[in-house]
Amino acid sequence: MQRILLRSGKSPYDVVPVEEALHRDVIATNSGNLIFSDATHKILETPGTEVVSNGIRTDVKAAGRINDQYDAFVVPLANAFRPSFEASLKRMTQLISKLKIPVVVVGVGAQTGLGYDPARLKPIEKSVRAFVSAVLDRSASIGVRGEFTEQYLKDMGFRDVEVIGCPSLFMYGKDLAVRKGVPALTAESRIAINGSHSAVQSQGLDRVIAAAHERYPHLRYIGQNLSDAQQLHWRDLSHPNGRITAMPTHPDHPMYREDKARVYIDPITWIDDLREFDYSFGSRIHGNIAALLAGTPATVLCSDSRTLELCRYFDIPHRRIDQLAKGEVVDPAELYAESDYSALVDGHHERFERFTGFLDRNGLRNTFTHGDGGAAFEKRMRSLSFPPGVRPWIDSDPATLASRFGWLQTRIGALSAENAKLKKQLAQKPAPVVVQAQQPTSVYRRARRAMGRAIQTGR
């Protein structure tokens, strides 16, 4: 039995209640991460192969155990070559440098502006070089998302670089069926919109959301950040994103009050819900890939190199958000009318063959060539009951409070028990060692806010 360790927030088969998922941050701050990690898990799960999730946090001390228990370490990544991710990249490099097994990176990308200027990445070049060198010492090549990242690494002198896109779009293998279900969008159309906080705050997406909300009664916003989910479920505004009131996940936004915002913890429910929509658009690449996997037409409003190079590689309909006329408000009906999915669909088989060829060269089998095409994976997933998308806390139904208060009570009890155990241990120490017991402030804060919310709703 071959055992593959996969870097992912959680196994696709793990059914995690919303409160626990947010507490543990199983989405690694962005639920888009789970789309490409779930797809990679499915692709690599073949007869005779076990795929195990290692969690998203890098434990350098686990190198010995990984060498003993696994045959390969597979690392799906997104925009890992960016300054804000440098510390995490360094930790991964430290771990990889201690591994004696193959290490395969699928779909890593560099992030800069839409003009593809790598100057912003110069300060992290040493860290990127060390990471790529460590990976290539343990694999035949490194898989990158698109043209910009390929050139970025080749300019550093690396040659074993392959453009493979992102594993997410290969979740269903060589098959990708996207077609327009209606001739044109109308006021009755079901439209999904998505966007990052930066696009809303500084790139004009706030105006696009506001105009679409006014014109399309069935519009729904789908957020992806952990802070989005915490705002929806707990009304927690403690994160800096809580200051951006133009986000539909903010309690002050009209779409929040109208129950028109969601965040998904599991890709399966996300994709299933999008099957019922006519169209999706916005600046989130995986928010729109989720729609494409559902067969729903989508357009990406590209806001940086990571989204642009992926759209170009896969021929996903897109517009550069910086090329919109100043003050222009994009109507989704216009984007829908101009979108053409023939290149995306017609070129998918060739891109899939390129992706599986990359896996073959790196010693990895895939379910579409060497297994059942993912049938067992899908059957098992359909046998599980995943929580629905996280929705705004606007209900006064006591049932909506039960899970929140139940989880809070359990957490507070567990933390109190841990503190009592720690105090007992401290009491037995003869030396004047000062150790502060854990203060579960975040849990208590959420308890107070939940209680306040319950009072506001008259419950």
Side-chain angles (χ1 to χ4, degrees), residues 258-289:
E258 295 167 13
D259 193 25
K260 293 179 178 178
R262 298 287 186 277
V263 173
Y264 293 87
I265 302 301
D266 301 281
I268 187 170
T269 51
W270 190 355
I271 295 168
D272 280 351
D273 279 6
L274 282 171
R275 296 186 202 280
E276 304 303 317
F277 281 75
D278 297 302
Y279 184 58
S280 170
F281 78 111
S283 67
R284 287 291 194 184
I285 186 66
H286 283 100
N288 292 304
I289 285 177

Side-chain angles (χ1 to χ4, degrees), residues 281-304:
F281 78 111
S283 67
R284 287 291 194 184
I285 186 66
H286 283 100
N288 292 304
I289 285 177
L292 297 173
L293 291 171
T296 299
T299 299
V300 180
L301 300 179
C302 295
S303 58
D304 53 26

Side-chain angles (χ1 to χ4, degrees), residues 139-161:
S139 60
S141 58
I142 184 169
V144 301
R145 287 163 69 107
E147 58 190 353
F148 170 69
T149 306
E150 177 188 32
Q151 191 61 51
Y152 171 66
L153 294 184
K154 286 188 173 181
D155 286 345
M156 287 188 196
F158 295 107
R159 292 293 171 261
D160 298 319
V161 181

